[in-house]
């Protein structure tokens, strides 16, 4: 069975209440509060729900937004980008392709070479530090 097939109850048991709210109910952590906002450690950021490889610390930068920000995903094969019209804004939601976890949003005001800013909730991520 794939991670995608977890029931709501199973996700509740697997995740903390905050992780569940953000990843499974598209919540947003308060800015400047997340574990990885200021994190400068080197490694690979994985999906907290399923472990899928999402972002490399090498593409993390300080956007000043209060959320971990990356100028690219490790591979577009592991994420989905979905138009999100909630809260009267037109945004592009980023989700984990393997388990559908809500990760955050992507904006077009990031640094070169991509010009993208993946604005991601710490609660959706797990850093696997380089050894
Ligand atoms: Fe996932």
């Amino acid at each position: 069975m794939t991670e995608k097939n977890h029931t709501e109850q199973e996700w509740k048991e697997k995740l903390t209440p905050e992780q569940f709210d953000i990843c499974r109910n598209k919540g947003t952590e308060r800015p400047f509060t997340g574990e990885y906002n200021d994190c400068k450690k080197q490694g690979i950021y994985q999906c907290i729900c399923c472990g899928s490889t999402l972002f490399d610390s090498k593409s993390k930068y300080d956007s000043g937004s209060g959320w971990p920000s990356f100028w690219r995903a490790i591979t577009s094969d592991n994420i989905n980008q979905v138009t999100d019209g909630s809260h009267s804004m037109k945004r592009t939601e980023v989700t984990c392709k393997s388990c559908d976890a809500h990760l955050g949003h992507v904006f077009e005001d990031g640094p070169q070479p991509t010009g993208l800013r993946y604005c991601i909730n710490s609660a959706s991520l797990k850093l696997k530090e380089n050894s």
Side-chain angles (χ1 to χ4, degrees):
M1 116 174 180
T2 68
E3 292 285 345
K4 208 168 192 166
N5 293 334
H6 279 316
T7 64
E8 180 159 327
Q9 189 55 41
E10 286 168 338
W11 284 124
K12 253 180 199 159
E13 287 163 12
K14 191 175 155 86
L15 301 171
T16 68
E18 185 194 31
Q19 289 164 353
F20 181 83
D21 177 58
I22 291 170
C23 298
R24 312 315 312 180
N25 287 332
K26 304 189 189 301
T28 301
E29 68 199 12
R30 284 181 299 121
F32 303 101
T33 63
E35 179 181 2
Y36 297 125
N37 178 44
D38 278 333
C39 181
K40 306 261 191 306
K41 290 175 181 158
Q42 297 299 305
I44 300 296
Y45 287 90
Q46 302 174 328
C47 176
I48 189 72
C49 295
C50 75
S52 183
T53 296
L54 300 175
F55 298 96
D56 191 319
S57 61
K58 291 193 184 82
S59 58
K60 190 175 188 292
Y61 73 103
D62 185 2
S63 68
S65 67
W67 291 280
S69 300
F70 304 86
W71 50 267
R72 74 166 168 217
I74 285 181
T75 165
S76 59
D77 291 344
N78 289 0
I79 58 168
N80 279 322
Q81 298 191 184
V82 190
T83 299
D84 170 12
S86 68
H87 304 289
S88 308
M89 290 181 273
K90 191 164 176 294
R91 298 182 295 176
T92 302
E93 182 192 2
V94 182
T95 63
C96 172
K97 194 174 271 188
S98 72
C99 78
D100 282 339
H102 172 75
L103 304 174
H105 292 86
V106 59
F107 302 93
E108 294 181 351
D109 58 7
Q112 292 305 315
T114 61
L116 297 175
R117 169 170 60 100
Y118 287 88
C119 184
I120 305 298
N121 290 286
S122 295
S124 301
L125 299 173
K126 175 83 192 152
L127 175 63
K128 184 163 182 274
E129 284 184 57
N130 290 343
S131 50

